[in-house]
Amino acid sequence: MRNKKLQVWLPLLLSLCVVAGMFIGYRINGNMPDNGIFYIEREKPVTQVLDLINRKYVDNENMDSLGDLAIQTILSRLDPHSVYLPAQELKMVNEDLEGQFFGIGIEFNIINDTVNVVNVLSKGPAETAGLLIGDQLIKVGDSVVAGNDISAKKLRKLIDGDAGQPVNITVYRNSEEKNFKIVRGPVPLYSLDAAYMIADTVGYIRLNKFSETTYKEFMNSMESLLKKGMKGLILDLRDNGGGILTQATNIADEFLNENKLITYTEGAHSPRKDYRCQKEGLFEKGKVIVLVNEGTASASEILSGALQDWERAIIVGRRTFGKGLVQEQFELSDGSGLRLTVARYFTPLGRSIQKSYKDGIAVYDSDLVRRFKGGEMTFADSIKHTDEKKFQTASGKVLYGGGGITPDIFVPYDTSLFIKEVMHAMMKGTLSKFVYKNYLKNEKEFKQFTSPRQFEQKFQVSDSMLRDLKNYAQNDSIHLSVENPRVNAMLKREIKVLTAREIWRTEGFYEVNNQFDSTVQRALQLMKPMKDILSAK
């Protein structure tokens, strides 16, 4: 009888022992769920499928690629801004946000399979070693890079590396070879393209992104412009795709007073978080105009939206991109990363500026094309708000949420820029290559100009220069009708602007180009009458 009872209870006792062992194991490893309930976690079907393919499939497959594809497919069902970043891509993204990478500090252009140095960054490793604009790279280390089907991607792999590591570079200069040993070091990736006095009491600042160094760059420029007598500011955020949120809120704090709300974020798993002004701003009273367009996104829209809600700035240009989602970045075990949308951000009035993505990512990505086709880029009354809920500022001005920030003053896209043959020459790189070669040929002549402003006022593109360009373009199978007045004027403008960039880089480019820029010129008109600016003293 005792034997039979033991046979009945033995399986149950063994099961209890197993469960007790699992319980103790969970407790030791710290994996016990908070509610005290434990369970055996099984592999998810997606993991099982990948494992079966790896072990059983008829052919050998690259499992990393299949895994990446599975992740990307899952993310495509969420929102357009939750993305998976392979390790190398994540590294580049992080460098961009950090505001620096490690390399030698040159900009280059590949012309006829030859790597030409078009810029040597000030105080960078290459300048310290003695590289000059116009040098042509022959070898990097033991690798020949001249006439060897070199690409920008291949060259960067050879040049970039860890800080402190040397790289030997051979260049061709003035008909002879020269060797340089360059120690790789930090190379800044500036987020501020230009800062100068565009008029007697009006400053201009252009930001291309919000990285870890943006606020510092911005403040240095603001302090410099204030010393020069700035009473009004044109802040150019066109084509600024965003970046680090706190850099944008720090800048907003310089324009807004007291404890004003700048933005807040909120999500299903992220409780509301407010970002408010925390200190006295550097420019709380001067007149501010913010320039925006369809490329203005994310953190740029936070800054623009806050200043618009508080009626602190006039927003000029075209409707912004419409990205109101906050991403948090998670690094994965293999060095790759996941940027996952965790919240939405809202302007002080409560506007969500995120445009709709309910029709899928393909439709979302084609939004800018639809804006062109629908006439929105050229006519203000063609602007369509995806969220018709109205918000009111303190003075009663009506604003909308959804679909980006709608400007207070609309400036249409300059369709005169669409000259097919000129655009072809620009997109193929023919125009920039010609300007670079022409600069090297006439470098002494260009060095007589001491500033972009003097260059803009005194330098004239000659007819002979246009003829040289026409002949150069024919080698790229591009015909330029330089006799056509519209083509003639456009080419002269582009040559002048690109030459300024060769001499003074982005600062020179924008200082000269802004004289032709319809949005900038509209902002300057709005800065008048000057009594409004002077009253801010």
Side-chain angles (χ1 to χ4, degrees), residues 22 30 48 84 107 111 135 163 176 202 258 289 310 325 327 355 392 414 428 431 480 493 532:
M22 288 175 61
Q48 292 175 317
Y84 170 72
E107 292 178 28
I111 305 174
D135 284 345
E176 61 177 299
V202 181
E258 300 174 343
I289 294 176
W310 289 113
L325 301 175
Q327 282 73 49
K355 61 187 177 184
Q392 281 195 338
D414 189 354
K428 197 170 182 179
L431 193 53
L480 294 174
R493 166 183 168 172
D532 292 339

Side-chain angles (χ1 to χ4, degrees), residues 192-196 204-207 221 506-508 510-511 514:
L192 192 146
D193 286 327
Y196 70 100
Y204 170 90
I205 291 178
R206 181 181 177 92
L207 298 174
S221 295
T506 55
E507 183 87 21
Y510 286 105
E511 192 160 344
N514 283 344

